[in-house]
Amino acid sequence: MLEWLQNDLVSGSVKAFVIALILTPILRDIFRSYNVVDRPGYRRVHAYPIPRIGGIPIAMGYGIALYGMSGLENNLGFEVWKLIPGATVIFLTGLVDDFANLRPRTKLAGQIVATLVVFYSGLRIETVGAGDPLPLWLNLPLTVLWLLLST
């Protein structure tokens, strides 16, 4: 039973990693050539300009891998689509941060919104172990905490 799940998750993870690994240097060079960089400053830890929008190759790898997993004939394919809206909110929060330098609280608020979007799309922690279903007052914060820690 778990063999198909492990194979699909591992192959999806490897696919996302390889795509991001290939696209990162390509997009880095493109952004450097168009001067879309974050310059060193008093609040920066880097000593030379670093390209912005580093989340694009990660989001592309993630999106392509999820799209590949969405056509599966098992329940995992249906569950994958529940992640897309939350992943989009995370990506947009990071994109806005790249240009507007959001405060940590604002970034955390964006991440919390993303976890709530995923929760309300139906992807949630409903039980712990083989126990009874969790009540909503415990289900919601547990799911949000798990997704925040994963993020």
Side-chain angles (χ1 to χ4, degrees), residues 14-29 57 61:
V14 169
K15 186 186 301 184
F17 175 75
V18 169
I19 290 168
L21 189 66
I22 291 169
L23 289 178
T24 297
I26 294 169
L27 290 177
R28 177 197 62 211
D29 293 344

Side-chain angles (χ1 to χ4, degrees), residues 64-132:
I64 292 169
L66 284 179
Y67 180 75
M69 294 172 70
S70 66
L72 300 173
E73 297 301 323
N74 50 44
N75 204 19
L76 180 64
F78 178 70
E79 297 296 324
V80 161
W81 286 105
K82 295 177 180 179
L83 290 171
I84 301 293
T88 302
V89 173
I90 291 288
F91 173 71
L92 292 175
T93 301
L95 190 63
V96 170
D97 180 48
D98 280 343
F99 291 104
N101 294 323
L102 299 177
R103 302 181 87 182
R105 286 184 182 170
T106 307
K107 287 189 279 190
L108 180 61
Q111 292 170 348
I112 290 171
V113 167
T115 62
L116 291 172
V117 166
V118 170
F119 180 85
Y120 285 108
S121 73
L123 192 61
R124 50 186 72 163
I125 299 173
E126 294 178 343
T127 63
V128 176
D132 294 328

Side-chain angles (χ1 to χ4, degrees), residues 46-65:
H46 51 273
Y48 53 90
I50 301 291
R52 294 179 185 247
I53 320 174
I56 288 177
I58 295 168
M60 290 175 72
Y62 189 78
I64 292 169

